Amino acid sequence: MPGGLLRLCAMESIPEGQARRVETAVADFAVFNLGGAFFVTANACTHGPGNLGHGPVQGGEVVCEAHGGRFDIRSGRATRLPCTEALMVWEAVLRDDAVWIDFAAGRVAD
Ligand code: FES
């Protein structure tokens, strides 16, 4: 991890309004492109087996494929049942046309 950053994917690999699951040696992440701004959350739904990187994205929220729960992509907060527990989120760092994160700086909304 050069500079303490972990490279997740090329920016161009995620069209606007879409999500992508990125698997790495340390964890699986969901990377989102909201109008050209990138956001990163844990891939695993806090409710169960859903992969949030599979989307879909609706109005700034990701809908879990498993049971239809939702999360705010920017904050990680659960916004629709059955999800109640917030996701871990990371600030996306854009460098060399790619999305990176500082893995140690992940946080969970209050
Ligand atoms: S696993 Fe995501 S809503 Fe149940």
Side-chain angles (χ1 to χ4, degrees):
M1 281 188 244
L5 295 179
L6 174 67
R7 185 185 187 281
L8 297 184
C9 60
M11 292 165 59
E12 68 178 12
S13 70
I14 310 176
E16 285 195 18
Q18 294 193 25
R20 178 180 166 190
R21 178 182 180 179
V22 176
E23 299 174 60
T24 76
V26 293
D28 287 2
F29 301 92
V31 186
F32 302 91
N33 178 345
L34 298 183
F38 289 83
F39 299 89
V40 180
T41 73
N43 174 67
C45 180
T46 56
H47 176 253
N51 295 291
L52 300 174
H54 294 174
V57 173
Q58 292 182 1
E61 297 180 339
V62 59
V63 182
C64 180
E65 63 185 358
H67 309 112
R70 291 184 179 221
F71 297 90
D72 181 284
I73 289 168
R74 294 172 176 83
S75 70
R77 287 192 175 88
T79 56
R80 180 176 290 183
L81 295 172
C83 301
T84 57
E85 197 177 320
L87 294 169
M88 181 88 78
V89 297
W90 289 264
E91 181 179 350
V93 177
L94 305 181
R95 181 179 295 181
D96 300 331
D97 297 322
V99 180
W100 305 66
I101 57 166
D102 177 353
F103 180 68
R107 64 187 190 285
V108 178
D110 297 332

